[in-house]
Amino acid sequence: QMADPFLYNTGERSHYGCLGHEVQIEYLKAYVCRPSFFTDKAVIVAHDVFGWRFPDIRYIVDLIAGHGYITICPDFFKGTEPWKSTDHWPDFPDWMKNHDPMKVDKEADVVLKYLKEQCGAKKIGIVGFSWGGMAVHHLMLKNPQLTAGVSLYGRIVRDSEERYSLLNPTFFIFGEKDHTISLDQIFLLEDKLKQYCKVPYKIKVYPGQVHGFAQLKPEDMNPEDKPYIEEARRDMIDWIKMFV
């Protein structure tokens, strides 16, 4: 029995009234939220397997925009179906084959171009959750236009040295009780980054936290997890503010 790699209990999600709006950028749909004042700083949010319309991800977009960034979550699944909590776990590997978090370069370029040309963005960071955390790790190795990244509980893919030569500052957030990522894998990541990485990086593990912990809306949080969720979000925003 394989452990469900990205699936955490989405449970019943409360309805969320979004602050932003949807736009069409070339062949991509995206959700955008802007701060109330002009800024030339932007953040791309890479969603998890539940896609760009999932209420939790929209809440995060609005949250980051509230800190003064033009924030955008494009549909990295390009109009195809996101995974749903009602889907059958044995179908997940096939679904993943058609939704590869390492094949996001073209979409990232489309969004970067839009942010620079249409929104006047000069500095752009990226934040991603779970599936999106893997996408962030990949993009921070490949795309120098991204001035900083935060990867939240992206599954660690064992790979070559190339997995550790990050181009710009990257922060990795993990939950201690994540059933998809072992502490050994996290220690290995830390060792390899020490060896190969030439830019600032940080790894932090949040006590008692499970996969998906940092994107819950306030009304969906357990009281005992709340301090860690809030800390992880503060840390995420602080990293972005330091470099973007």
Side-chain angles (χ1 to χ4, degrees), residues 15-22 30-37 43-45 52-73 127 129 215 217-218 233 236-237:
H15 176 72
Y16 180 62
C18 303
L19 305 177
H21 62 283
E22 294 184 4
Y31 173 70
V32 185
C33 189
R34 291 169 176 256
S36 51
F37 51 86
V43 173
I44 299 168
V45 174
W52 73 296
R53 288 201 163 103
F54 195 51
D56 294 14
I57 234 43
R58 301 222 157 172
Y59 170 75
I60 293 289
V61 171
D62 294 353
L63 182 94
I64 296 171
H67 285 275
Y69 294 89
I70 302 158
T71 311
I72 184 167
C73 177
V127 167
F129 298 81
Q215 61 213 75
K217 300 197 297 306
R233 285 188 188 158
M236 168 184 86
I237 297 287

Side-chain angles (χ1 to χ4, degrees), residues 38-42 68 70 119-124:
F38 174 79
T39 177
D40 60 4
K41 297 178 173 197
I70 302 158
C119 307
K122 302 235 187 330
K123 286 185 95 175
I124 302 165

Side-chain angles (χ1 to χ4, degrees), residues 142-155:
K142 299 280 186 226
N143 198 320
Q145 297 180 76
L146 295 162
T147 50
V150 184
S151 169
L152 294 97
Y153 33 82
R155 232 178 0 149

Side-chain angles (χ1 to χ4, degrees), residues 123-221:
K123 286 185 95 175
I124 302 165
I126 187 165
V127 167
F129 298 81
S130 185
W131 186 96
M134 294 180 76
V136 167
H137 186 163
H138 168 79
L139 287 166
M140 293 311 292
L141 299 165
K142 299 280 186 226
N143 198 320
Q145 297 180 76
L146 295 162
T147 50
V150 184
S151 169
L152 294 97
Y153 33 82
R155 232 178 0 149
I156 298 168
V157 186
R158 280 186 192 214
D159 214 339
S160 61
E161 278 103 77
E162 289 153 26
R163 297 288 300 154
Y164 310 104
S165 309
L166 298 162
L167 299 175
N168 279 313
T170 308
F171 177 26
F172 296 88
I173 286 177
F174 298 105
E176 182 200 14
K177 294 274 192 318
D178 191 324
H179 67 293
T180 74
I181 301 159
S182 70
L183 290 173
D184 287 346
Q185 285 178 303
I186 296 171
F187 297 143
L188 184 71
L189 175 67
E190 192 142 31
D191 277 350
K192 296 282 193 184
L193 287 172
K194 269 198 194 95
Q195 226 173 316
Y196 298 107
C197 186
K198 309 259 192 301
V199 296
Y201 66 87
K202 182 176 166 184
I203 293 177
K204 188 165 169 181
V205 179
Y206 295 78
Q209 298 309 294
V210 298
H211 196 74
F213 78 97
Q215 61 213 75
L216 290 170
K217 300 197 297 306
E219 59 273 29
D220 299 322
M221 294 176 190

